[in-house]
């Protein structure tokens, strides 16, 4: 009954989809799947924006574990999460989890944010994983809930509707790499080191590493890296498919961030709803069989048909000019 109800809600909310859904939902399971897909892809309203440039630890506010920047001008639509815990090598603490969760929630509620970049404001480090000094002070009963919150944060990061890019300009270990794995795209400096090193501490990756790493590099390679707790450099990470781009580090120590920003700028001119629907179709489709995946693609495609952006794209093509998409 719940699946039937979900299908009715889907049909009422997206009447333009009625004919395509009737043709593609060959089973109750598909109907429920498409309902969940479209619900997770709904649009939101944007909160306020702030400064325009990347901050480094030297000019970030003292005590800010995370600096969130809404870029402006030609880069409007790009949001940068800068991790800033220099004394702790950007280790994941209770406060950082809290601040990142709030930042993720804010951009999730924005239909104007086009891309999120996660980077470090501390030279030579992306994120060293869990804050073990803080962890050592926790009572055993506190560890489970904290890990659950950290896992929830990374899950929410992975579920953001817009593209996400991890700019890895330094070491990304344990939970730091798990955070990067939750992003759509990873860019690393050749000098960076990456690894799920938890087995050194007689534990396992606990924030999605055992699930996301195999999906990215393959089961055998993931097992080898996790079993050995090995950290690999940027070039090897690119060869393994762990990162999409490996760039030579520059004197400023932000080569990966600059490459991530270039990628984000490539996304900006494209239709924002189309990009969100493409991400949704890929993320949902890769987890199911091909027939269901094609039905998901059809449902997501149907979502872009009635948009003003689609009409603008056709008009701009006819008039031989650049389109001006508004996410509508």
């Amino acid at each position: 009954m719940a699946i039937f109800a979900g299908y009715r809600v889907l049909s009422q909310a997206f009447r333009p989809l009625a004919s395509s859904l009737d043709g593609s939902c060959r089973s109750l399971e598909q109907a429920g799947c498409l309902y969940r897909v479209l619900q997770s892809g709904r649009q939101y309203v944007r909160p306020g924006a702030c400064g325009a440039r990347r901050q480094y630890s030297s000019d970030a506010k003292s005590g800010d574990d995370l600096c969130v920047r809404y870029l402006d001008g030609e880069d409007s639509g790009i949001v940068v999460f800068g991790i800033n815990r220099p004394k702790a090598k950007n280790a994941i603490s209770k406060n950082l989890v809290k601040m990142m969760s709030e930042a993720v929630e804010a951009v999730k509620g924005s239909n104007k944010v086009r891309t999120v970049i996660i980077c470090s404001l501390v030279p030579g480090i992306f994120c060293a994983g869990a804050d073990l000094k803080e962890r050592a002070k926790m009572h055993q009963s506190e560890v489970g809930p904290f890990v659950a919150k950290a896992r929830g944060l990374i899950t929410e990061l992975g579920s953001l509707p817009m593209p996400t890019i991890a700019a890895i300009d330094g070491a990304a270990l344990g939970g730091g790499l798990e955070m990067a794995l939750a992003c759509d795209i990873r860019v690393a400096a050749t000098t960076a080191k990456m690894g799920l090193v938890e087995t050194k501490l007689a534990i396992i990756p606990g924030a999605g590493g055992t699930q996301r790493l195999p999906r990215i590099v393959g089961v055998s390679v993931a097992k080898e890296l996790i079993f050995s707790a090995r950290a690999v450099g940027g070039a090897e990470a690119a060869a393994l498919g762990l990162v999409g781009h490996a760039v030579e580090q520059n004197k400023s120590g932000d080569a990966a961030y600059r490459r991530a920003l270039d990628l984000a700028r490539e996304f900006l001119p494209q239709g924002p709803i189309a990009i969100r629907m493409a991400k949704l179709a890929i993320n949902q489709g890769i987890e199911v069989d091909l027939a269901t995946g094609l039905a998901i693609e059809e449902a997501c495609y149907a979502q872009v048909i009635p948009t003003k952006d689609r009409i603008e794209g056709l008009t701009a093509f006819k008039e031989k000019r650049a389109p001006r998409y508004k996410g509508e």
Side-chain angles (χ1 to χ4, degrees):
M1 292 298 294
I3 295 177
F4 278 118
Y7 183 71
R8 285 198 298 271
V9 171
L10 177 66
S11 299
Q12 292 168 2
F14 303 106
R15 290 185 180 180
L17 291 179
S19 60
S20 74
L21 288 177
D22 288 342
S24 61
C25 290
R26 303 302 181 187
S27 67
L28 295 180
E29 289 80 4
Q30 283 181 324
C33 174
L34 295 179
Y35 173 66
R36 291 191 297 272
V37 166
L38 291 172
Q39 282 296 95
S40 64
R42 60 187 183 273
Q43 302 296 310
Y44 300 89
V45 180
R46 182 182 188 237
C50 56
R53 66 186 181 87
R54 182 192 182 192
Q55 279 194 330
Y56 291 89
S57 56
S58 60
D59 57 1
K61 292 181 181 178
S62 176
D64 283 352
D65 289 350
L66 184 74
C67 182
V68 179
R69 288 287 181 179
Y70 287 74
L71 306 191
D72 59 14
E74 293 183 354
D75 290 331
S76 180
I78 301 174
V79 180
V80 180
F81 292 177
I83 307 174
N84 182 50
R85 301 193 70 219
K87 294 181 179 179
K89 297 183 178 180
N90 284 349
I92 301 170
S93 63
K94 289 181 179 180
N95 188 54
L96 182 59
V97 168
K98 178 178 179 292
M99 294 186 74
M100 286 201 70
S101 295
E102 292 171 352
V104 167
E105 186 64 25
V107 297
K108 182 176 71 174
S110 170
N111 62 4
K112 297 298 183 182
V113 175
R114 305 291 184 88
T115 302
V116 173
I117 298 174
I118 299 179
C119 68
S120 168
L121 305 186
V122 181
I125 189 77
F126 176 76
C127 176
D131 189 332
L132 297 182
K133 290 183 179 179
E134 183 182 74
R135 181 78 60 87
K137 297 176 182 178
M138 290 183 189
H139 187 273
Q140 188 172 342
S141 63
E142 297 179 277
V143 175
F146 169 72
V147 172
K149 287 182 180 179
R151 183 186 298 118
L153 162 63
I154 292 175
T155 298
E156 285 297 306
L157 175 62
S159 299
L160 282 175
M162 70 288 295
T164 53
I165 307 174
I168 307 171
D169 273 306
L173 304 173
L177 180 55
E178 288 179 301
M179 190 185 301
L181 291 173
C183 293
D184 299 311
I185 300 166
R186 285 159 298 284
V187 180
T190 52
T191 54
K193 292 291 182 182
M194 289 153 275
L196 296 179
V197 297
E198 285 86 350
T199 54
K200 284 185 177 181
L201 299 173
I203 57 175
I204 69 171
T210 64
Q211 302 306 304
R212 291 191 177 92
L213 186 62
R215 285 166 165 78
I216 293 169
V217 301
V219 173
S220 181
V221 172
K223 287 179 177 178
E224 180 180 332
L225 293 176
I226 292 172
F227 295 169
S228 65
R230 184 190 310 153
V232 299
E236 184 177 356
L240 294 173
L242 177 55
V243 301
H245 303 265
V247 293
E248 292 292 332
Q249 189 55 280
N250 58 29
K251 293 181 179 179
S252 301
D254 64 351
Y257 170 75
R258 291 178 184 273
R259 184 69 181 98
L261 189 57
D262 286 341
L263 287 173
R265 286 167 175 160
E266 287 187 53
F267 303 160
L268 281 179
Q270 320 313 328
I273 297 175
I275 287 179
R276 290 184 179 215
M277 287 296 104
K279 174 174 176 174
L280 186 62
I282 294 168
N283 285 356
Q284 297 291 335
I286 201 68
E287 301 295 339
V288 299
D289 63 273
L290 180 59
T292 306
L294 290 172
I296 290 171
E297 179 186 77
E298 185 177 355
C300 289
Y301 192 100
Q303 288 298 287
V304 304
I305 292 176
T307 63
K308 293 180 181 178
D309 280 354
R310 186 183 74 88
I311 302 303
E312 165 63 12
L314 291 174
T315 302
F317 178 79
K318 182 180 179 180
E319 297 176 355
K320 298 181 179 180
R321 61 171 174 80
R324 295 182 290 272
Y325 296 127
K326 298 180 179 179
E328 299 175 353

